[in-house]
Amino acid sequence: MLRPIDFCTLLTAKESKDIVLWFHDNCEYQEARTYGTVHNNIEDNRSNRSGSVMFNNTKPIPHEQKILDFIYHFSGKYNIDIWKGQLDWQLAKYEVGDHFKTHRDSHPTIEGMNIKNGVRKVSLTIQLSEETDYEGGLLRIENDIDGAYHLDRG
């Protein structure tokens, strides 16, 4: 597993707001859930994750190309094969008391490895809120080799 990279300047404050507004105009919030170890098996376990999410995998989002350029640069640098067009965007909203417990972003399965969109290879988290707008929100990334990394808000 690669060490997390903190790119505080990937998007400007205006670009971040553009993305949030686009999601609000084009998608609907739904209850946040976690996925099981079998492809597309939804676990409805509120103890693992609470909050609201919106998903989009059909329309371009604002500043998408800027984000994609970063993803493709990163994946090329580390020889990660990314299938263009197989990206899902998620906007998550967490209120006071909401959470997302420690989890894996990918649970590779034989089924998932045999279809193009079955295995998540890269996860990119972009903090769209101003760090002064909330308390908490620590992003902790763990791996089996180096332990855990904490990324500051902002």
Side-chain angles (χ1 to χ4, degrees):
M1 179 173 185
L2 302 172
R3 182 182 172 102
I5 301 171
D6 187 0
F7 286 95
C8 293
T9 59
L10 181 59
L11 296 173
T12 66
K14 182 190 178 316
E15 290 168 333
S16 297
K17 288 177 185 175
D18 291 344
I19 293 171
V20 171
L21 290 173
W22 184 91
F23 267 92
H24 284 217
D25 290 343
N26 292 279
C27 303
E28 292 185 24
Y29 277 112
Q30 55 188 287
E31 184 178 346
R33 297 176 180 206
T34 57
Y35 292 84
T37 58
V38 178
H39 184 64
N40 286 337
N41 178 30
I42 296 176
E43 295 176 10
D44 193 7
N45 187 342
R46 299 284 296 161
S47 67
N48 288 333
R49 184 179 190 188
S50 64
S52 301
V53 294
M54 290 187 266
F55 294 97
N56 172 57
N57 62 3
T58 58
K59 300 177 186 175
I61 64 171
H63 315 292
E64 180 174 293
Q65 193 57 53
K66 185 176 187 179
I67 299 168
L68 291 176
D69 289 345
F70 169 77
I71 292 170
Y72 296 143
H73 172 78
F74 175 84
S75 62
K77 182 177 180 179
Y78 292 100
N79 200 27
I80 301 169
D81 187 23
I82 300 292
W83 292 298
K84 295 182 178 172
Q86 296 294 323
L87 298 169
D88 293 311
W89 303 106
Q90 177 186 152
L91 178 76
K93 177 173 81 170
Y94 295 99
E95 303 286 347
V96 173
D98 287 341
H99 63 277
F100 201 166
K101 287 189 176 178
T102 301
H103 65 283
R104 287 185 181 262
D105 275 355
S106 181
H107 295 278
T109 64
I110 297 300
E111 173 191 317
M113 290 180 206
N114 288 324
I115 57 176
K116 275 194 165 186
N117 62 351
V119 177
R120 183 181 297 175
K121 296 180 180 182
V122 175
S123 295
L124 174 67
T125 299
I126 302 173
Q127 177 63 42
L128 297 174
S129 301
E130 294 289 336
E131 63 182 290
T132 56
D133 288 349
Y134 63 94
E135 294 178 15
L138 177 71
L139 177 60
R140 176 185 167 97
I141 300 174
E142 296 182 4
N143 69 46
D144 297 333
I145 299 167
D146 299 319
Y149 301 95
H150 293 88
L151 299 180
D152 292 332
R153 300 179 321 166

